[in-house]
Structure formats: C-alpha cells, structure tokens
Amino acid sequence: MMRMDAEAAQDGPAQADAGFLWDFWYPAVRSAEIRGQKLVTAMLLEVPLVLGRTSEGKVFAMRDSCPHRGIPLSYGRLDGKVVECCYHGWRFDACSGQCVEIPSLSSQDKLKVERIFAGHFPCEERDGYVWVYMNTPGAKLPEKIPAAPALAVFSDKYKITHLSCELPSHIDHGIIGLMDPAHGPFVHQSWFWRKRGSIHEKAKQFEPIPNGFRMSPHSPSTNSAPYQLLKKITGEPVTTTIDFVLPNLRTEIDQSGKMWFSSRATVTPVRRDLCRIDFVAAWNLFFLPVSIFRMFGEVFLRQDQETMIQQAEGLKHNPRLMLIDDADRPAKWYFALKANLIESRRTGAPMAHPMDGPVTLRWRS
C-alpha cells in the first residue's frame, strides 16, 4: 500500500489505497500457452482463473473453483466443450459456466442443474494475449462491453514480440514506475540507451484524453541512441507520442517517414503485493531483428524488475513517501484519475478529469 506526505502530494493520491480497478480488460496469459485441451491457470486481481480453448478454437475464462466444494476446476479436464471437475464430475459449459451435468443426481432429484453456474468471465484474444474482462464482484456484466485494447500498427507487414516480468509491488507502485520520466539515466544506464552524464533539462507538453493523458507528439530525447539511429537511417524527423489510459495502459508510437515502432505496456495486478508487466511491440524497421530487440528489451525489463525488488525491501517498513512537481505530475494525475473514476462510479456523476487543458512539464533526465 502507498502512503504519501500530505504536503508533497496535496493534489494527489487520496485513493492510493483504493485497491484494484474493476470493469476493465486485463491480459491474463499469452495465447500460445493455451494449446489443445490444456487448462491454464492465472491470477488477476486476486481472482484465480482457469483458461482454455474449445475444440472450435474459442478461448474461455472461468473462476478456478467448482461451486460444489471449491476444488480448482483446473485439476479437472476439458473435452473440447465442457470442463469437468475432478472431484465429483460436475460438468460446466466452458463458454458460459453453466452446469450441464451432475453425475451423482438420481431420477428422484429435482435440482435444476441449469441454474447452477461456475464463475465465468468474458475473454478475447488480441495481439497474442488472452484478455479477461474483470467485472466488479457480485455485479452484473454491462450490456455492452468495449473491445479489448488493440496495439496500433501502421502497415500490413510488421514484426511483433512479447516480453513480461513480475514486480513484487502494489499495482500503484508498478504503474507510477511505468510512467516515471526521471528514472531512465539511473535505472536504464546502458551503452545502447543513455548514460547518467547525459542528463539535461526537458520540456514536454501533456494533454488530457478520456480516462488518461498524453505526452503530445514530440521529438524524442537526444540522449537516447535508438531514436537518433532511426533519424539517421530515414533522414527524417522522429516523432513520439505516449499515452497513459486507465486502468494500466501505456502506449508509445514512434514514427519517422514510413518507418514506425509501436508498443504497449500493461501493469496488471495479480495480488495486492504482486503485479506483472506485459510488454508487446510491433515495428516495420527492416534493420531491427526480433532477436536483437528482445535482447535489449529483456535488459530494460530486468533493470525495472531489480529496482522494484529493491523498492519493495524499503516499503516493508511503511516509510513516508512523497511526490514532487514536475517529474511526478503524471503520477499525481494517475492517482486523481483513479480516485475520480471510483467516485464517478459511486455517484453516477460524470468523471472529472484532473487536467483542464494542455500543460508543459519540465524535468531533468
């Protein structure tokens, strides 16, 4: 959980300890993990899930608990359409969670089997992930569910890859670390990226977008080698646009002439003390093989992971924390967005945005 100095975060995290945001899509597993009639487990927002694929190729997600005695359904089996519990053989339609058979019932029993349901969640495949819509516990699903987030691409042919790592922290710490603009020269010191000695003052414009904020299109940092290489290859300026959108999405689009690079990072809560970064990137840069990008990307994620492990050690003692302007303003916006969304859902009033228009932030990194 997160605590902040009142003075340092006076316009900030009133809802820092509010917990998880429900009624959103979250990536559960990679699509490639679900093969044949294999059942796969995942944990999202402290809800245990079992996922699989029907014989018709449709993915499904159910709560990993039989409503009879609570044994995980993942210990059972999938016959292509139905998930069977290993304990008493109760059978559930994989795509609806509806019970279709209880073997122990006799002809005298009047129990209406079809009224029994195992927990079930909408799911979709997108960009190599199985996304699960985590609706508020005990609440009905909305009549219309938006589509799961899709990675932006700008040509028919492109390369794509996926990376992930776990962070031993509350989701709030994971997310504000994701959007933090000032840690780069310290956490990500690498010959291929930037050095501590390259720190200089930057000014970037931000603007409000629905449920989030955008770092407006701009020229990327001059002390980041990959951007400068792209500029030399194309002979044209490089523009970068970065968005953050609730509950956990950071997207970045880099373009130079006909060349483009698109990425999305999600920080997904597993438990209140554990979250996971899922990173997917696509590009049409002919000079960048997937194997080379993965090598550099894994270095980046490992650096973030090691930092969060070290931070978790300090947070065990519940220290007082602080946010500063301007480098931590995006973190303050995140906390305000989260608090305002929760309040909007509670009252039914329109959600108030913490930004009333474009603003320029300045920091050194």
Side-chain angles (χ1 to χ4, degrees):
M1 296 297 198
M2 182 172 291
R3 220 177 43 168
M4 297 286 176
D5 287 331
E7 180 179 353
Q10 55 190 333
D11 56 347
Q15 293 289 339
D17 297 328
F20 308 137
L21 285 178
W22 300 87
D23 304 311
F24 284 107
W25 289 99
Y26 291 93
V29 297
R30 287 282 313 281
S31 295
E33 294 181 39
I34 304 179
R35 302 186 184 93
Q37 296 185 356
K38 177 183 179 182
L39 293 172
V40 176
T41 61
M43 181 79 74
L44 292 180
L45 287 70
E46 298 189 340
V47 176
L49 301 174
V50 56
L51 302 100
R53 191 186 302 277
T54 68
S55 55
E56 297 177 348
K58 181 177 175 58
V59 292
F60 63 87
M62 301 170 65
R63 189 179 184 98
D64 194 14
S65 176
C66 179
H68 180 212
R69 298 284 185 86
I71 194 167
L73 290 170
S74 55
Y75 288 126
R77 69 183 186 91
L78 169 66
D79 69 1
K81 293 185 178 181
V82 171
V83 175
E84 181 181 278
C85 178
C86 69
Y87 197 1
H88 296 92
W90 286 33
R91 291 163 58 82
F92 303 90
D93 178 77
C95 292
S96 67
Q98 185 177 40
C99 186
V100 296
E101 182 183 356
I102 298 178
S104 62
L105 291 182
S106 70
S107 59
Q108 304 299 313
D109 286 302
K110 297 181 180 181
L111 180 64
K112 294 185 181 298
V113 173
E114 68 276 8
R115 292 186 178 181
I116 300 173
F117 285 82
H120 186 267
F121 299 85
C123 62
E124 292 182 8
E125 288 187 89
R126 190 86 75 227
D127 304 322
Y129 293 100
V130 176
W131 293 76
V132 178
Y133 187 83
M134 302 298 293
N135 58 299
T136 304
K140 291 184 178 180
L141 284 169
E143 292 184 5
K144 185 177 181 180
I145 299 174
L151 182 68
V153 297
F154 302 93
S155 60
D156 294 333
K157 295 183 179 180
Y158 55 86
K159 300 168 185 175
I160 188 168
T161 193
H162 307 78
L163 298 167
S164 68
C165 72
E166 291 188 337
L167 307 176
S169 67
H170 186 273
I171 182 66
D172 287 341
H173 285 295
I175 287 179
I176 67 172
L178 182 74
M179 65 179 65
D180 174 19
H183 74 277
F186 303 93
V187 175
H188 298 301
Q189 293 184 51
S190 302
W191 65 266
F192 61 86
W193 190 247
R194 63 182 60 165
K195 299 179 181 179
R196 179 170 176 171
S198 69
I199 293 177
H200 62 279
E201 185 167 322
K202 300 174 182 177
K204 305 292 184 185
Q205 179 172 292
F206 290 77
E207 57 189 283
I209 58 176
N211 277 6
F213 51 86
R214 168 174 295 158
M215 185 186 291
S216 306
H218 61 280
S219 297
S221 300
T222 57
N223 59 340
S224 296
Y227 296 123
Q228 300 311 310
L229 175 62
L230 178 58
K231 183 178 180 180
K232 288 182 179 179
I233 290 175
T234 64
E236 299 189 43
V238 181
T239 60
T240 295
T241 304
I242 300 174
D243 289 358
F244 174 80
V245 178
L246 290 177
N248 62 347
L249 303 177
R250 179 195 185 274
T251 61
E252 179 172 341
I253 297 172
D254 305 302
Q255 294 177 299
S256 180
K258 294 182 179 180
M259 298 292 176
W260 59 269
F261 180 94
S262 176
S263 68
R264 181 188 64 227
T266 57
V267 182
T268 297
V270 178
R271 303 188 309 261
R272 63 194 66 198
D273 62 347
L274 179 68
C275 56
R276 186 186 69 246
I277 293 180
D278 289 301
F279 179 85
V280 58
W283 64 91
N284 72 342
L285 311 178
F286 65 88
F287 55 87
L288 181 58
V290 170
S291 58
I292 297 298
F293 177 82
R294 288 186 61 84
M295 179 176 67
F296 292 149
E298 287 169 355
V299 170
F300 255 66
L301 282 186
R302 186 165 61 249
Q303 291 168 337
D304 282 325
Q305 184 182 45
E306 290 173 354
T307 299
M308 298 301 286
I309 290 172
Q310 293 167 345
Q311 184 188 36
E313 181 179 340
L315 293 176
K316 290 178 182 177
H317 308 290
N318 197 29
R320 296 188 65 83
L321 307 176
M322 60 186 296
L323 296 175
I324 64 172
D325 277 340
D326 279 355
D328 289 331
R329 188 82 67 83
K332 293 186 178 185
W333 288 334
Y334 161 69
F335 286 121
L337 283 163
K338 184 176 179 181
N340 293 353
L341 176 64
I342 292 171
E343 181 66 11
S344 172
R345 288 177 171 178
R346 185 186 70 83
T347 64
M351 176 181 166
H353 201 290
M355 302 175 67
D356 56 11
V359 61
T360 297
L361 301 184
R362 292 176 172 82
W363 67 87
R364 286 173 51 81
S365 68

